[in-house]
Amino acid sequence: MTLTIPGFDQIRLPGADGVELAAAVAGSGSPVVLLHGFPQTHLMWRHVAERLADEHTVICPDLRGYGASDKPAATGPDVYAKRTMAADVVTLAAALGHERFALVGHDRGALVAFRAGLDHPETITHLGILDIVPTLDMWNVLHGTSAAVGYHLFLMAQPPGLPEAMIAGSADAFFGSFFDAWANDPSSMPEEVRAEYLRASAAAVTSIVADYRASAGIDVIHDQADLDAGSQLAMPVTVVQQDWGAQLGYDAAGVWQAWAPDLEHRLTGAGHFMAEEAPDEIATVIRGLLAR
């Protein structure tokens, strides 16, 4: 049985190009869309979403290629481009009656949120980013032996065939390794939740790899075009990260300032899965963003 957020309605609505997205929805008030990361589903937002639903309409989709959402074949580079995945989110929100909304993303979902902020500035009112730098910057800061922390990025950037076969052959070990390596507080992810993430990820190997492969190709092209054009995020932006700058040797706040003039950059002592490890902190940060 698929786990979801208690008390939230489960819906399916079209995204871009007729792809259907599954989402959990609850609450009333100004809309906030929460996008999950890898290797997870919308369930990662369960604690934060419940806290925000007292004051907001909270929408938690599974990204295309993940969870219970459609997993279209990657017949071209645009199918899992963050531009396409951002259009999914905008289309879904519009189907729910929300032409403008706040958007918060974690990990892969944060890359989608970043692209949505650049492509749809008239739609995204506030932008929250958890524990990433933009795709173009991500590749630029990974160098030397410190790049080993992102080995999966390089693996899934390879041509179709070998990455999918390797990961599918040991899916639980592969996906589970990220929970083991990236969580500061393993107790924040109960066994049944971890099992749900592993089940959902094992069922989506091909589409997850396609998502990552896009970030070594078409997503870089899109980011570079925006950088060359001087494009920036027009809305208030809050970024919460672990201290990756110190670990990898770059100025994380400076990277984000170049994209987001109206920026609040914060470091957290929580691990990568911060929405589960520190839901009060993350919910408070989101409320602060929405008040700007």
Side-chain angles (χ1 to χ4, degrees), residues 13-21 64 70 88:
L13 287 172
D17 305 325
V19 168
E20 284 197 348
L21 302 184
R64 74 160 58 194
D70 285 354
D88 281 339

Side-chain angles (χ1 to χ4, degrees), residues 22-73:
V25 182
S28 60
S30 61
V32 182
V33 178
L34 306 177
L35 302 180
H36 68 87
F38 162 90
Q40 299 179 286
T41 70
H42 75 278
L43 185 63
M44 62 151 283
W45 288 110
R46 60 197 180 280
H47 303 309
V48 173
E50 289 173 342
R51 286 160 169 77
L52 296 178
D54 288 343
E55 302 172 9
H56 301 279
T57 300
V58 182
I59 306 163
C60 302
D62 286 337
L63 299 171
R64 74 160 58 194
Y66 290 79
S69 289
D70 285 354
K71 302 168 181 63

Side-chain angles (χ1 to χ4, degrees), residues 33-227:
V33 178
L34 306 177
L35 302 180
H36 68 87
F38 162 90
Q40 299 179 286
T41 70
H42 75 278
L43 185 63
M44 62 151 283
W45 288 110
R46 60 197 180 280
H47 303 309
V48 173
E50 289 173 342
R51 286 160 169 77
L52 296 178
D54 288 343
E55 302 172 9
H56 301 279
T57 300
V58 182
I59 306 163
C60 302
D62 286 337
L63 299 171
R64 74 160 58 194
Y66 290 79
S69 289
D70 285 354
K71 302 168 181 63
T75 53
D78 291 327
V79 176
Y80 285 93
K82 301 309 153 294
R83 172 159 287 160
T84 304
M85 297 170 81
D88 281 339
V89 175
V90 171
T91 301
L92 181 144
L96 290 170
H98 306 299
E99 299 297 331
R100 287 171 55 79
F101 57 90
L103 183 60
V104 182
H106 173 256
D107 189 85
R108 305 305 293 175
L111 296 176
V112 176
F114 171 74
R115 176 46 54 192
L118 289 172
D119 286 359
H120 304 277
E122 73 290 347
T123 300
I124 309 305
T125 63
H126 302 77
L127 186 64
I129 300 288
L130 303 188
D131 219 30
I132 62 141
V133 291
T135 300
L136 183 63
D137 300 288
M138 173 188 74
W139 292 113
N140 289 338
V141 304
L142 290 173
H143 51 80
T145 57
S146 64
V149 70
Y151 82 93
H152 60 299
L153 301 170
F154 298 92
L155 171 63
M156 290 191 274
Q158 303 310 307
L162 183 61
E164 292 88 342
M166 292 176 64
I167 294 168
S170 55
D172 283 0
F174 177 76
F175 294 116
S177 71
F178 299 101
F179 299 130
D180 296 334
W182 294 349
N184 285 1
D185 178 12
S187 69
S188 66
M189 193 178 295
E191 187 56 40
E192 66 272 17
V193 171
R194 178 181 172 121
E196 173 65 13
Y197 295 150
L198 293 178
R199 182 203 62 76
S201 296
V205 170
T206 300
S207 51
I208 289 174
V209 174
D211 167 34
Y212 273 84
R213 188 174 288 121
S215 288
I218 190 68
D219 295 340
V220 173
I221 293 170
H222 291 158
D223 280 10
Q224 188 66 58
D226 277 312
L227 182 66

Side-chain angles (χ1 to χ4, degrees), residues 91 274 281 287:
T91 301
M274 56 190 68
E281 175 187 352
R287 290 190 187 100

